[in-house]
């Protein structure tokens, strides 16, 4: 098996140690390089890693700003953003700037290993699954109902009658669903919801 290299960039040494042990224990043939900052990561000339794990809250250049820096340095290296927070706006911003996926530090070790292995294998559509997880946790039950109905192609007026709501309220829910899913149209919302496993 070909050895693969993961570059872990995080300013918490204990977290780096824990993640390194988890990844090397679960994924055969993995080596983990470490850096406490982006400056430290890119300063010495080095071969491109197969994957970069990048913390969002770094001293100096932060992770969101650093995505572009890493993509410039290693254009073919996928980047997974790490954060202790999984606010939808933060997730969307990271994915929009080029992160392949987003992992919360609160996720289980098994989930982190799964995402890393799928990105390494090239089987995780950029951002799709991880954003879907966040969206599922963020959508209210009523927004999920509205999403189901708009995905059926129903107009706001019809959705309002079905759910016994005002059309104004439905319009607000539709706007919130589009924002949370990070899309701009109803058809995109339906496609995103299906691709991310939020609905059949």
């Amino acid at each position: 098996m070909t050895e693969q290299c993961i570059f872990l960039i995080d300013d918490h040494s204990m977290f780096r140690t824990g993640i390194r042990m988890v990844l090397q224990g679960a994924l055969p043939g993995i080596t983990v390089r470490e850096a406490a900052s982006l400056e430290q990561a890119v300063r010495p000339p080095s071969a491109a890693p197969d994957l970069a794990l990048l913390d969002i809250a770094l001293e100096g250049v932060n992770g969101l700003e650093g995505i572009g820096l890493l993509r410039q340095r290693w254009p073919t290296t996928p980047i997974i953003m790490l954060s202790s927070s999984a606010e939808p706006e933060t997730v969307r911003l990271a994915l929009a700037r080029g992160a392949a996926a987003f992992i919360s530090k609160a996720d289980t070790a098994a989930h982190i290993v799964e995402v890393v292995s799928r990105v390494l294998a090239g089987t995780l559509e950029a951002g799709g699954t991880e954003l879907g997880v966040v969206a599922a946790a963020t959508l209210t039950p009523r927004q999920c109902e509205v999403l189901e109905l708009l995905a059926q192609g129903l107009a706001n007026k019809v959705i309002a009658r079905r759910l016994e709501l005002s059309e104004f309220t439905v319009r607000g829910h539709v706007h919130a669903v589009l924002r949370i899913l990070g899309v701009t149209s109803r058809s995109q919302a339906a496609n995103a919801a299906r691709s991310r496993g939020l609905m059949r």
Side-chain angles (χ1 to χ4, degrees):
M1 180 178 292
T2 305
E3 192 171 86
Q4 290 181 296
C5 175
I6 295 174
F7 206 143
L8 173 58
I9 306 166
D10 191 289
D11 56 1
H12 292 93
S13 60
M14 288 188 67
F15 178 79
R16 292 200 310 270
T17 299
I19 288 291
R20 184 184 71 243
M21 291 173 65
V22 165
L23 293 176
Q24 289 181 330
L27 301 173
I30 288 290
T31 60
V32 179
R33 285 165 32 203
E34 298 179 30
S37 68
L38 277 158
E39 292 87 347
Q40 185 180 334
V42 300
R43 188 182 305 132
S46 58
D50 296 286
L51 171 68
L53 284 168
L54 177 61
D55 184 25
I56 201 167
L58 293 169
E59 293 292 331
V61 180
N62 69 34
L64 283 175
E65 296 166 346
I67 292 174
L69 184 63
L70 291 187
R71 287 174 65 83
Q72 184 178 12
R73 178 73 180 270
W74 301 311
T76 62
T77 298
I79 299 164
I80 296 178
M81 183 63 72
L82 295 167
S83 177
S84 55
S85 167
E87 292 295 323
E89 186 61 33
T90 305
V91 177
R92 277 195 301 276
L93 196 52
L95 299 177
R97 293 192 180 191
F102 190 104
I103 293 176
S104 168
K105 289 184 177 181
D107 286 334
T108 64
H111 178 75
I112 292 172
V113 168
E114 179 192 2
V115 175
V116 167
S117 60
R118 288 176 64 188
V119 171
L120 282 171
T123 60
L124 180 62
E125 182 182 342
T129 297
E130 302 325 300
L131 185 54
V133 171
V134 174
T138 306
L139 288 171
T140 67
R142 181 64 84 187
Q143 287 166 351
C144 289
E145 291 177 331
V146 170
L147 174 60
E148 285 277 358
L149 295 174
L150 74 82
Q152 294 173 27
L154 302 182
N156 288 353
K157 187 178 295 186
V158 178
I159 295 174
R161 282 202 302 269
R162 290 273 188 96
L163 299 180
E164 299 181 348
L165 299 170
S166 73
E167 194 173 345
F168 177 80
T169 299
V170 169
R171 195 158 52 240
H173 284 315
V174 170
H175 178 75
V177 167
L178 297 182
R179 177 176 54 78
I180 290 168
L181 292 176
V183 297
T184 57
S185 73
R186 299 161 77 94
S187 60
Q188 287 176 356
N191 292 334
R194 291 188 183 100
S195 69
R196 297 166 191 173
L198 301 184
M199 54 185 285
R200 291 193 185 94

